[in-house]
Amino acid sequence: MTTVKIKRLGHLGDGIADGPIYVPATLPGEVVSGTLDGEHLRDPKIDTPSDHRVKAPCSHAKSCGGCQLQHASDAFVSDWKRDVVRQALAAHGIAVDLGDPIISPPRSRRRATFSVKRTKKGALAGFHMKASDTIIAVPNCQLVHSDLTAALPMVEALGVLGASRKGELSVLVTRTDTGLDVAVNGGKEMDVALHQALSDLAREYDLARIAWDGEIALQRRAPVLRLGSADLTPPPGAFLQATQEGETALVEAVKQALTGAKRVADLFAGCGTFALPLAKDAMVHAVEGDHDMVNALDHAWRNAEGLKRVTHEVRDLFRNPLLPDELAKFDAAVIDPPRAGAAAQVAEIAQAGIPRIAHVSCSPATFARDTATLIRAGYDVEWIKVVDQFRWSTHVELVALLRRDN
């Protein structure tokens, strides 16, 4: 047996002792013992627990790979996520006061991707075990909305219908205002018999829509989400914020940052998470690389009432960012890139000198890198709000207001 003391948490949520030695499900200050296997301590036993250790609220926590931090108190996780942002900023010489993170409540995830495999007696649906391809059932999951856990029998029925004996289906289930929207990937080739079976299943479980390997197989009614005063029907599998509470926090922060703006560029706009609410008070130009998401955004805007003009453009902002002369007509911008950040686009924004920027990010590291570029161009960071939308995970989101006086 090897005994170690945990010094800190790594970016994947594992405890790290001197060595380094990585120990899952541990907290700083804990003394743990186990079998050393290279850099990992296997089958750890907690000899001296942290004051921040709590009983995991979910009965599946020990085996399920869906959460990493259920053994830690909410206060510890909030402080740790705030420190992740602080350290990322410090690496670029940036210091900003950070308030308490806004946390999504338990059982609030409105979308989840379940895995399902056929068995001798039917099918098994759930999440993968930690560091494993094995699927475990998660009927008592404390992360996703109860409508999603109630849908697990439907997911298993999809496995019976559409999975091969050796294959695995990936089933994305999204809770919308008009019912569940289901997107299946990795299934059998669609034929008449499968389509009829899916139609029967959709009626039995009152599904709004089923997509099969990227194509809409059937739609009983449009799956609708409310964005501001617009009703959005997203394309199958499109990016959406994971929780309503997280989306609300991000949107309200962006609106606060851009109060009074009249002409806004929404870059990496997706389906309009920010563009549509902002259009109540400002003209918005939405730029997104996915054609289907732009079409969904445009359709939602055209069918809404009381919104100012929303123009749109399909454009790969990594390879073809908006240039300073294109950005010059805007008095504000919101930018919400994927985890890789937006180095090319931020460089052009820095040259353009847009007075205000609401920067949304799901990666503190790339956020800090891109923010450093803007600071060198004369911007000041007025505030940063940390949003813990992915409860019990290591993911961190944030919104910042950057301002430059020209």
Side-chain angles (χ1 to χ4, degrees), residues 44-277:
K45 176 180 177 293
I46 309 298
D47 297 322
T48 305
S50 165
D51 291 341
H52 294 293
R53 176 169 288 276
V54 298
K55 181 180 179 181
C58 181
S59 61
H60 311 299
K62 287 186 178 180
S63 55
C64 178
C67 297
Q68 297 85 48
L69 297 171
Q70 285 203 13
H71 59 288
S73 69
D74 285 351
F76 173 86
V77 174
S78 288
D79 288 345
W80 180 72
K81 291 196 174 187
R82 182 167 44 194
D83 199 49
V84 167
V85 177
R86 187 180 293 115
Q87 290 183 34
L89 293 170
H92 292 270
I94 304 169
V96 180
D97 289 336
L98 302 173
D100 292 335
I102 302 167
I103 307 174
S104 289
R107 308 198 77 163
S108 61
R109 286 284 296 271
R110 65 183 178 186
R111 63 195 331 239
T113 300
F114 297 109
S115 297
V116 56
K117 283 186 177 181
R118 287 178 61 185
T119 65
K120 291 182 179 180
K121 295 183 179 180
L124 175 63
F127 294 134
H128 286 121
M129 294 180 66
K130 298 180 188 296
S132 172
D133 292 332
T134 301
I135 297 172
I136 62 167
V138 287
N140 300 315
C141 178
Q142 298 299 302
L143 182 65
V144 303
H145 192 280
S146 57
D147 287 354
L148 299 191
T149 50
L152 284 168
M154 178 273 296
V155 178
E156 292 181 343
L158 284 169
V160 173
L161 292 176
S164 65
R165 277 293 185 185
K166 295 184 179 180
E168 177 178 309
L169 289 184
S170 176
V171 182
L172 172 62
V173 184
T174 302
R175 181 178 182 264
T176 76
D177 297 340
T178 54
L180 296 182
D181 184 23
V182 179
V184 181
N185 283 290
K188 296 178 180 178
E189 185 175 347
M190 182 62 65
D191 57 22
V192 174
L194 178 56
H195 189 275
Q196 182 58 56
L198 291 177
S199 180
D200 294 340
L201 181 143
R203 283 195 300 272
E204 179 181 355
Y205 291 98
D206 194 27
L207 305 179
R209 182 174 69 179
I210 300 178
W212 199 265
D213 285 330
E215 301 292 333
I216 296 176
L218 60 96
Q219 180 170 297
R220 300 176 63 239
R221 54 187 177 274
V224 173
L225 294 169
R226 190 77 169 172
L227 293 177
S229 59
D231 288 332
L232 171 76
T233 297
F239 172 80
L240 299 168
Q241 297 298 332
T243 71
Q244 182 62 62
E245 293 82 0
E247 178 178 281
T248 298
L250 295 173
V251 170
E252 289 304 312
V254 168
K255 289 167 65 177
Q256 177 188 344
L258 304 188
T259 298
K262 300 302 181 184
R263 300 176 307 279
V264 177
D266 182 5
L267 309 179
F268 304 94
C271 291
T273 298
F274 303 111
L276 293 169

